[in-house]
Amino acid sequence: MNLFYLLQKELESKNISDPVLIARYIYIRTGELFEYNPSYDVVSLKQQQELTNENPDPQNITSFNYICYSWSNLYCSLLKLFGINAELVDKLCHRAVKYTIDNQEYYADLMKDFGDVFRIKFGLKTLNNYPVGEENNKEQIVAEWDQKIGYRKSIKTEAVLEQLKQELQAKYPKEEDYIYNTYKVVQYLLNVPRNGVGHVSGRNYIRYLLSFFLEDKFQSCTSRIYNVEKNIYIQVYGIQINGQSHFYLYQEMTNGFYEFQEVTPYIVDYFIKSKNFNSSYIRNITKIMK
């Protein structure tokens, strides 16, 4: 895919010519299109280094899974193609981008803590693309950018979630009922098909939602089951309600979209014992299966 050409056409159709807005639009679009590579922390050191060294060609995109290094390389190259002065910023085991427009520096870090790459996919405010030195005003400045480019223009996800939280609290005053039904709501919210959402973005959105709804009551056990060669990644969640264990899987379905579903302990046990899968943090789940 020629991403540079695609972005050119999209920017022309939206009449976006301000370099600041171009940089912001590219940031949002790469957040929509690309996913954090789920294999990075389970492959060998040699394979990790290969992923770190990836330098995508903006005019010949062949993969949609990146890590902080490869995304930063891509974003920096795209900005330069649009005439924006940009450079890579290397930190300890991490890479981001700094760019300058009219003597103002800006910072962009889509992959930091898997943050904005999932926030963008679910229509949330971003945290890691902003003008440097504008700490007191950066949220308002970014909101103005988004209004102008059409991101978050109609639906404010945070407001919708807050209203839903209040309704849940009113309907389920008993704590354990509230927790169980929160998982049901998360299941509903995750099962709306969204292009570009993969394993990492989805699992981080689940964590965001559970933390938001449950606050200090968020204590679910999680494990990951995977087969790197077959590109299968499954996140397992377990909770105990009224002495009974409940399990949820977040996984890719046959239609290509990811879903969050409640399953029986038998299915979880099958994945854990299967020789076709590896697992991490599996004790988190097995301790509540007994």
Side-chain angles (χ1 to χ4, degrees):
M1 179 182 75
N2 190 331
L3 181 58
F4 175 55
Y5 177 78
L6 174 66
L7 291 170
Q8 279 184 311
K9 292 301 179 183
E10 289 180 354
L11 288 163
E12 288 175 7
S13 69
K14 294 176 179 293
N15 296 315
I16 298 174
S17 57
D18 181 342
V20 173
L21 298 182
I22 289 174
R24 177 61 174 176
Y25 184 83
I26 296 172
Y27 186 82
I28 295 298
R29 285 295 281 136
T30 55
E32 292 172 342
L33 291 168
F34 299 107
E35 175 63 282
Y36 189 90
N37 194 323
S39 72
Y40 181 74
D41 57 353
V42 296
V43 296
S44 68
L45 290 175
K46 180 181 178 181
Q47 290 171 302
Q48 285 184 342
Q49 191 59 51
E50 290 173 354
L51 293 173
T52 298
N53 293 335
E54 279 186 336
N55 191 13
D57 180 356
Q59 300 182 75
N60 184 27
I61 296 296
T62 59
S63 172
F64 289 86
N65 290 314
Y66 294 137
I67 62 173
C68 63
Y69 288 90
S70 43
W71 174 82
S72 295
N73 293 341
L74 173 63
Y75 186 66
C76 191
S77 296
L78 282 166
L79 293 183
K80 289 178 179 178
L81 286 171
F82 280 96
I84 297 171
N85 181 26
E87 60 184 280
L88 299 171
V89 178
D90 283 329
K91 301 179 179 180
L92 182 63
C93 300
H94 188 64
R95 177 171 289 174
V97 175
K98 180 175 68 176
Y99 55 98
T100 305
I101 300 171
D102 294 334
N103 296 319
Q104 170 66 57
E105 288 187 352
Y106 299 85
Y107 188 74
D109 195 352
L110 185 77
M111 298 295 185
K112 181 181 180 182
D113 300 325
F114 319 119
D116 284 354
V117 70
F118 96 78
R119 293 186 188 98
I120 289 169
K121 288 176 173 59
F122 293 96
L124 298 166
K125 294 178 182 178
T126 64
L127 302 179
N128 302 313
N129 179 213
Y130 50 81
V132 176
E134 295 286 347
E135 294 302 317
N136 295 330
N137 302 315
K138 69 179 183 181
E139 186 172 340
Q140 179 181 346
I141 292 171
V142 172
E144 290 173 357
W145 292 348
D146 291 343
Q147 181 70 20
K148 290 175 181 177
I149 68 170
Y151 176 63
R152 288 170 49 84
K153 193 170 184 177
S154 57
I155 298 176
K156 298 297 185 286
T157 306
E158 293 87 350
V160 174
L161 293 177
E162 183 60 43
Q163 181 178 351
L164 186 55
K165 181 179 181 179
Q166 293 176 10
E167 292 174 358
L168 271 173
Q169 290 172 334
K171 189 172 183 179
Y172 302 104
K174 187 178 177 181
E175 182 176 297
E176 291 194 326
D177 290 341
Y178 176 77
I179 293 173
Y180 179 72
N181 283 282
T182 289
Y183 274 79
K184 288 298 183 184
V185 168
V186 172
Q187 178 175 329
Y188 170 77
L189 293 173
L190 262 293
N191 293 353
V192 177
R194 290 178 173 87
N195 291 320
V197 175
H199 175 78
V200 176
S201 290
R203 81 180 191 212
N204 279 279
Y205 187 50
I206 292 169
R207 183 173 186 83
Y208 170 88
L209 290 172
L210 291 176
S211 298
F212 172 78
F213 284 111
L214 301 180
E215 299 176 354
D216 60 339
K217 297 184 286 292
F218 174 37
Q219 299 177 349
S220 71
C221 300
T222 63
S223 301
R224 183 162 42 154
I225 296 169
Y226 57 91
N227 183 318
V228 175
E229 291 183 358
K230 294 184 178 181
N231 195 34
I232 298 174
Y233 299 88
I234 302 169
Q235 197 78 6
V236 187
Y237 299 80
I239 55 171
Q240 285 190 316
I241 301 294
N242 295 320
Q244 183 177 356
S245 297
H246 296 267
F247 298 95
Y248 293 81
L249 296 185
Y250 179 66
Q251 62 181 325
E252 186 175 12
M253 310 305 290
T254 55
N255 61 6
F257 293 106
Y258 279 75
E259 290 189 4
F260 184 67
Q261 297 179 325
E262 185 170 10
V263 297
T264 64
Y266 171 81
I267 293 177
V268 176
D269 191 54
Y270 163 78
F271 280 117
I272 290 173
K273 294 179 178 178
S274 173
K275 295 181 179 179
N276 295 321
F277 294 93
N278 294 312
S279 58
S280 56
Y281 308 108
I282 204 65
R283 289 182 181 178
N284 292 344
I285 287 296
T286 55
K287 70 182 180 182
I288 68 168
M289 293 187 70
K290 298 177 181 179

